[in-house]
Amino acid sequence: MLHIVLYQPEIPHNTGAVGRLCLATGARLHLIKPLGFSIDDKQLKRAGLDYWKDVDVRVWDRFEDLQAEAALSGAPFYYLTTKTTQTYWNAAFPQECYLVFGPETRGLPESLLTEQPASCLRVPMLGTRSLNLATAVGIVLYEAVRQTGLPTPQGI
């Protein structure tokens, strides 16, 4: 299974859109607190449409709690950031992995990035310093789906 991790997401409609991406690909969505909105936020549900109730979502108080649970499977973590030169298309994603994205206004904390520099990936871009969170998740998630050949509800 592929896992999408939103570390302290701030904007509800981005999280709703990411939830729809997760549902469409069979990925699990992990939300790391604090969240910039309530899970019951109507903007979140509007972006997730009537699909939100079907999203496999887990909410964590601390990132370290998710890491501890994930360690049992040995699945690697990949950290998406603008602060590396390694592109996502050079990564070889395994069948199970965690794709970690930071909050919209500040990205992932340096402490996470410096712990695992070889696991940091970027989406290359020109003319802008960053992409919308849901767009970035979609780009990387579908590459991981393509590589792993994981079946999805729509048979991608």
Side-chain angles (χ1 to χ4, degrees):
M1 169 178 278
L2 297 172
H3 301 265
I4 297 298
V5 180
L6 299 184
Y7 182 91
Q8 300 178 357
E10 300 165 329
I11 302 173
H13 61 268
N14 282 338
T15 300
V18 171
R20 289 175 68 186
L21 286 165
C22 288
L23 183 62
T25 58
R28 179 171 290 150
L29 176 59
H30 300 271
L31 303 176
I32 310 299
K33 290 181 178 180
L35 308 179
F37 50 86
S38 162
I39 284 292
D40 296 325
D41 191 303
K42 68 179 176 180
Q43 288 182 317
L44 172 77
K45 291 183 177 178
R46 183 178 304 134
L49 297 174
D50 56 338
Y51 303 113
W52 185 252
K53 67 185 181 337
D54 299 319
V55 176
D56 182 359
V57 62
R58 311 271 168 94
V59 180
W60 300 86
D61 289 326
R62 299 174 335 119
F63 184 67
E64 295 79 9
D65 296 337
L66 170 61
Q67 287 177 308
E69 182 174 296
L72 300 174
S73 71
F77 282 70
Y78 295 94
Y79 302 92
L80 281 295
T81 178
T82 59
K83 299 172 184 163
T84 187
T85 58
Q86 300 177 97
T87 59
Y88 76 94
W89 59 58
N90 290 326
F93 296 113
Q95 292 271 325
E96 182 171 10
C97 62
Y98 292 79
L99 305 173
V100 184
F101 297 82
E104 293 89 342
T105 60
R106 62 187 186 279
L108 291 168
E110 286 292 326
S111 59
L112 288 178
L113 304 178
T114 57
E115 285 176 14
Q116 300 290 329
S119 297
C120 292
L121 304 172
R122 74 177 292 129
V123 175
M125 59 194 111
L126 297 172
T128 184
R129 70 177 188 282
S130 64
L131 296 173
N132 172 274
L133 177 62
T135 300
V137 170
I139 290 168
V140 180
L141 176 57
Y142 272 91
E143 174 61 14
V145 167
R146 185 193 70 77
Q147 286 186 23
T148 61
L150 289 173
T152 65
Q154 304 302 326
I156 294 173

